Amino acid sequence: MALAQWWVILIAAGVVVLAVATGLTIGLRRGVRHRTEHSAPIARAERLRTLSSFRRAVNRRTAALAGVLALGVVAVVVAGVVAARPMSSQTIQPVNTSRDIMLCLDVSGSMSDVDVEVLSVFEELLDGFEGERIGLTIFNSSPVQVFPLTDDYEFIRTHLQSIRESFDYTDEIPEHWIGTLNGPGASLIGDGLASCAMRFDHLDDERSRSIILATDNELAGASIVTLEEAAQYAASTGVRVFALNPVQGVNTRISDELVAAAQSTGGEAYGLRDTTTVADIIADVQEQDATELRGQAQVVWTDAPNVWIAVLLVLTLGFIVLMWRVRL
């Protein structure tokens, strides 16, 4: 118990002692004054005191007064305990899903429909996330981080919706164009993937890290980093790449490059066909990465005055009943 709480109890005890002393002093003075002003000599009073009924009445009154005094003292002490705010402790060990997912979206014109589908699915999945951290990086001729890895799902939802709506091209300069057209060429997949792989933090922590890469792998220009080099870097940092390719199988060479890059990281490449949806692919990613991390145990202190308040109420009720019976 804290030092301040002990001080409250000591003050309450002092108040009790002072109140009892004051009550006894006033009671004795009133008794003396009452006997002086109103008493009259009674012959053979000692015989009255020897009656058993008289002795029982005196004993009952004495016991009642002692009970009133005891209840009053205990009630004040309990009130001091309540005022001292008794607390209870509970040990909690937080459990978080050890999954970091970076959405890596090729926002070139040919990928608009796929990107909208990916963003929409993630908006729906947010309600089921608990502990997962989500990040979003978009790229075309240059990469842009929309938001870093975070588990603030309201924040994530706001930005996913904003980027998704920008594909409607209702603004003069859509949001997904800002910062993604600063280099020569378009769909520089290697640069985009490398940028996404560099967005993971706390690499010393035991967390599952995945990139969901949505691209058709149709490179238009010279990238700084090739797709193979970017995949090697991701693998070296323990990041797995899961690629979503809307044209997989149409161009075998391009599709094979993307499949090889994803598989080299321990991930996989998926073609979006009539029998495969983005939700199915993301569910597969979640199932493979579903592990838990137990955080450091924490002791949480909370106010727990309920029992003491109940005891105080019972004592107060008993005190009132005895006072009524004694009729002081």
Side-chain angles (χ1 to χ4, degrees):
M1 189 177 291
L3 181 61
Q5 294 174 332
W6 282 112
W7 273 110
V8 172
I9 294 176
L10 290 175
I11 292 173
V15 171
V16 170
V17 173
L18 180 61
V20 171
T22 303
L24 290 175
T25 302
I26 294 174
L28 289 174
R29 288 181 178 178
R30 286 183 177 179
V32 171
R33 187 183 304 114
H34 180 78
R35 287 193 297 269
T36 303
E37 296 177 356
H38 302 285
S39 60
I42 300 176
R44 305 295 184 180
E46 64 276 6
R47 291 185 177 182
L48 181 63
R49 296 190 184 94
T50 60
L51 296 176
S52 60
S53 59
F54 180 84
R55 288 199 302 270
R56 286 196 299 270
V58 171
N59 290 338
R60 284 197 300 269
R61 187 173 181 83
T62 302
L65 290 173
V68 169
L69 180 60
L71 286 176
V73 171
V74 175
V76 173
V77 172
V78 172
V81 173
V82 173
R85 296 180 61 186
M87 306 184 74
S88 63
S89 63
Q90 181 180 7
T91 301
I92 297 177
Q93 188 172 36
V95 177
N96 290 324
T97 303
S98 60
R99 185 187 295 120
D100 288 345
I101 301 175
M102 178 63 68
L103 302 182
C104 192
L105 305 185
D106 178 353
V107 293
S108 60
S110 60
M111 288 296 298
S112 296
D113 293 340
V114 177
D115 291 336
V116 169
E117 185 179 354
V118 172
L119 294 170
S120 299
V121 169
F122 262 86
E123 283 186 68
E124 297 174 1
L125 292 177
L126 285 180
D127 293 334
F129 284 159
E130 186 176 354
E132 291 93 343
R133 297 195 305 165
I134 309 297
L136 174 60
T137 299
I138 59 178
F139 68 91
N140 192 354
S141 62
S142 56
V144 173
Q145 178 176 267
V146 178
F147 57 84
L149 291 166
T150 177
D151 58 3
D152 185 344
Y153 297 134
E154 288 303 316
F155 174 84
I156 295 173
R157 190 185 304 279
T158 298
H159 285 277
L160 290 181
Q161 181 179 358
S162 177
I163 290 293
R164 178 175 56 78
E165 292 175 351
S166 76
F167 285 96
D168 295 334
Y169 295 95
T170 55
D171 298 326
E172 183 177 352
I173 301 178
E175 184 178 351
H176 67 276
W177 282 9
I178 300 174
T180 63
L181 302 173
N182 293 339
S187 291
L188 304 185
I189 294 90
D191 293 351
L193 178 58
S195 178
C196 293
M198 295 174 65
R199 304 301 181 183
F200 292 94
D201 54 5
H202 305 298
L203 297 181
D204 294 333
D205 294 346
E206 294 291 334
R207 295 185 67 85
S208 172
R209 298 175 174 87
S210 301
I211 291 176
I212 296 182
L213 173 64
T215 181
D216 53 15
N217 198 31
E218 294 182 357
L219 180 67
S223 61
I224 299 174
V225 179
T226 66
L227 175 61
E228 182 180 0
E229 290 172 340
Q232 290 175 352
Y233 172 75
S236 69
T237 58
V239 177
R240 292 191 295 171
V241 177
F242 296 87
L244 310 180
N245 184 0
V247 295
Q248 184 161 313
V250 176
N251 188 322
T252 305
R253 182 185 62 81
I254 292 178
S255 299
D256 289 346
E257 288 178 359
L258 192 58
V259 171
Q263 290 180 345
S264 69
T265 67
E268 189 55 78
Y270 302 90
L272 296 182
R273 307 278 175 78
D274 293 338
T275 57
T276 305
T277 66
V278 174
D280 295 332
I281 296 171
I282 294 175
D284 186 37
V285 173
Q286 287 183 295
E287 182 178 352
Q288 294 183 56
D289 292 345
T291 57
E292 290 184 345
L293 281 182
R294 293 188 176 274
Q296 184 177 2
Q298 302 174 357
V299 178
V300 179
W301 291 88
T302 56
D303 291 339
N306 296 339
V307 175
W308 291 103
I309 291 175
V311 172
L312 180 60
L313 291 175
V314 172
L315 291 173
T316 303
L317 180 61
F319 181 84
I320 294 173
V321 171
L322 279 179
M323 285 286 290
W324 178 77
R325 293 287 297 176
V326 174
R327 292 183 177 88
L328 288 176

